[in-house]
Amino acid sequence: MRSRRLHARWSVLADRIDAGTPAHRDRAVDALRAFAILGVVLGHWLVTALTTADGGLKTTSPLAHMSALAPVSWVFQTLAVFFLVGGHVAAQGYEAARGRGVSYGQWVGQRLGRLFRPVAAVLVLWTVAAGGMLLGGVGTDTVHTLLKLVLSPLWFLLVFAALTAATPLVARLSPLWPLAVVAAVDVWRFGLGGPEWIGWVNVAAGWLVPYTLGAAWSRGAFTRRPVSIGGRRPRAAALLLGGGILATAALVLWAGYPASMVGVPGAAISNLNPPTLAAVAFGLAQCGLALLVREPLARAMSRPRAWAKVALVNLSAMTVFLWHQTAMMAVTALGLLVSTDLPGLHTVPASAQWIAARLLWLPVFAAALMVCWAAFRSYEQGGHRPKGRGPRRSSGTGTVVAGNRLPSTAAGATAPVSATDPASAATAVTPAEESIHA
């Protein structure tokens, strides 16, 4: 009976979210963002392991012990889709802001403010936690390991913030230019024996490739009539997918690049830190696939229940991204209270048994993440929802339902959306204009 009531409440909430979403909102964009976020979260939970060593915790990866698992990284390394969607929405939003007479300073300040506001909570909590652990006698190596896991994903936000701020300059840049820089850097670095530091140029150039693809998408580059080749009319997205796959395969098979698209502890070369030509080629394939599936995704998102799930993920995308590693580490630390190492949590990830055990831990990590979400979601959403609940009314950038602004992707709205309680179905929500891609 209780499950039936919850299902009924969820149905009501999903219908209200669907009804409150502006008709012109591109739901496929939100779906791509949500899938990319979940890919990063699951990827980290699957390929990052904390093992007990000398009384502390050390980071390792099943990819370091079982190289045959490299294809797992092909599924869950979704950063190129992040930047594709980010470039698309940023370029679209900037043009809309210019049309409304909003200055560049106002536009970039609003976007970067929404991007970094929830970061402060992570930094404060982990500063206090690190200090407490050191005072409590925890080894510096263990503290360093934990802080690295928490803070290393923040590089993504710094790069994304820089590209967002540069949107007016790079929005019309051809992706071929940063792609050529990536290729030149790799030739210098790997072929001509150049210095290792030169590879860090690709941190900007490598992610600029999908970002500028997203900006081109906002201008309709992937909706125009395709060019005829040999009597057939291949879509540009299909060419990206096919060309990216072929280039990645060639680089891995014949140019010595690693098969894994994420860093592997102890490996001589990482495809991700900094990005290599292989990672960028793989990202092009991902972008092509994302652009090919956007129409089927849009049709799937027309179903209220599917759309509601995507909407709620987007509403707290930054919170999920920033706290998912903390959730995993909290479970791992609590597991240390048990007198023996727990399989899939503290043991060396070197067997099929570890994989099976790890899969069983994923729901536990998700539950811990939900606790983090409940505690810190308000930092992303700009404070608590006002107590008063106004009636539904029209707005220049979307719809307002029960006091929550429902921004429009096309309009590039900047107002955050307040939190809601899905179980009560008291209010309807839809994604903030940018969660991870502010």
Side-chain angles (χ1 to χ4, degrees):
M1 182 65 69
R2 179 177 175 82
S3 62
R4 190 176 302 173
R5 287 199 301 269
L6 289 175
H7 180 74
R9 290 180 179 180
W10 168 248
S11 296
V12 171
L13 177 61
D15 288 338
R16 295 187 67 181
I17 292 174
D18 183 66
T21 302
H24 55 267
R25 187 176 185 90
D26 190 343
R27 299 185 182 194
V29 171
D30 295 285
L32 288 172
R33 182 189 294 120
F35 290 148
I37 292 164
L38 295 178
V40 169
V41 170
L42 289 174
H44 281 161
W45 286 352
L46 288 171
V47 303
T48 303
L50 288 167
T51 60
T52 55
D54 301 324
L57 293 174
K58 298 290 185 181
T59 305
T60 185
S61 170
L63 297 173
H65 300 274
M66 296 176 282
S67 59
L69 293 179
V72 172
S73 68
W74 307 345
V75 177
F76 295 108
Q77 205 289 74
T78 52
L79 287 175
V81 179
F82 273 140
F83 284 93
L84 174 76
V85 173
H88 171 73
V89 178
Q92 195 175 57
Y94 179 66
E95 288 301 317
R98 289 182 62 192
R100 298 194 306 272
V102 177
S103 70
Y104 166 77
Q106 291 175 310
W107 175 81
V108 76
Q110 289 170 335
R111 295 177 101 73
L112 296 187
R114 290 200 315 278
L115 188 66
F116 286 113
R117 184 171 54 240
V119 174
V122 177
L123 296 179
V124 169
L125 182 141
W126 273 99
T127 298
V128 173
M133 285 187 288
L134 291 173
L135 291 174
V138 177
T140 55
D141 288 344
T142 295
V143 174
H144 178 266
T145 295
L146 297 178
L147 288 178
K148 184 177 180 181
L149 283 177
V150 171
L151 300 179
S152 58
L154 297 185
W155 71 262
F156 158 78
L157 298 182
L158 295 176
V159 175
F160 191 85
L163 294 185
T164 298
T167 295
L169 297 177
V170 304
R172 294 189 175 274
L173 181 70
S174 169
L176 294 177
W177 289 108
L179 180 62
V181 171
V182 172
V185 166
D186 273 18
V187 168
W188 187 6
R189 180 183 173 199
F190 300 126
L192 302 177
E196 284 297 312
W197 61 262
I198 195 64
W200 294 103
V201 172
N202 285 350
V203 172
W207 300 119
L208 190 56
V209 174
Y211 193 86
T212 51
L213 278 174
W217 174 17
S218 73
R219 300 192 302 271
F222 297 98
T223 58
R224 299 169 185 163
R225 192 176 184 182
V227 178
S228 177
I229 299 179
R232 304 178 66 183
R233 294 183 179 275
R235 297 174 63 175
L239 292 176
L240 273 178
L241 174 60
I245 290 174
L246 291 175
T248 304
L251 290 168
V252 170
L253 293 174
W254 297 305
Y257 286 87
S260 172
M261 290 300 142
V262 299
V264 178
I269 299 174
S270 168
N271 272 324
L272 194 57
N273 297 310
T276 63
L277 184 59
V280 174
F282 180 76
L284 290 175
Q286 283 186 315
C287 291
L289 179 60
L291 292 166
L292 282 175
V293 302
R294 69 188 191 277
E295 292 177 6
L297 273 179
R299 290 193 294 270
M301 291 302 104
S302 66
R303 297 195 290 270
R305 285 149 191 79
W307 167 239
K309 294 172 185 176
V310 166
L312 292 173
V313 169
N314 275 274
L315 183 62
S316 300
M318 272 291 290
T319 303
V320 170
F321 177 79
L322 289 172
W323 292 97
H324 74 278
Q325 292 282 59
T326 298
M328 181 190 72
M329 288 185 286
V331 173
T332 304
L334 288 174
L336 293 175
L337 298 176
V338 179
S339 59
T340 184
D341 288 345
L342 297 176
L345 199 62
H346 307 124
T347 53
V348 176
S351 66
Q353 289 77 14
W354 184 92
I355 298 172
R358 188 63 160 199
L359 293 175
L360 295 177
W361 283 108
L362 295 185
V364 184
F365 296 160
L369 180 56
M370 288 300 295
V371 173
C372 295
W373 171 82
F376 299 104
R377 62 181 179 175
S378 62
Y379 292 94
E380 177 175 358
Q381 296 157 5
H384 298 289
R385 177 168 48 88
K387 293 181 179 180
R389 290 175 180 171
R392 177 181 294 195
R393 59 190 183 273
S394 298
S395 170
T397 58
T399 305
V400 176
V401 180
N404 294 321
R405 181 170 294 280
L406 309 181
S408 162
T409 297
T414 58
V417 180
S418 297
T420 188
D421 179 4
S424 69
T427 59
V429 293
T430 198
E433 173 60 19
E434 307 282 329
S435 291
I436 196 72
H437 299 288

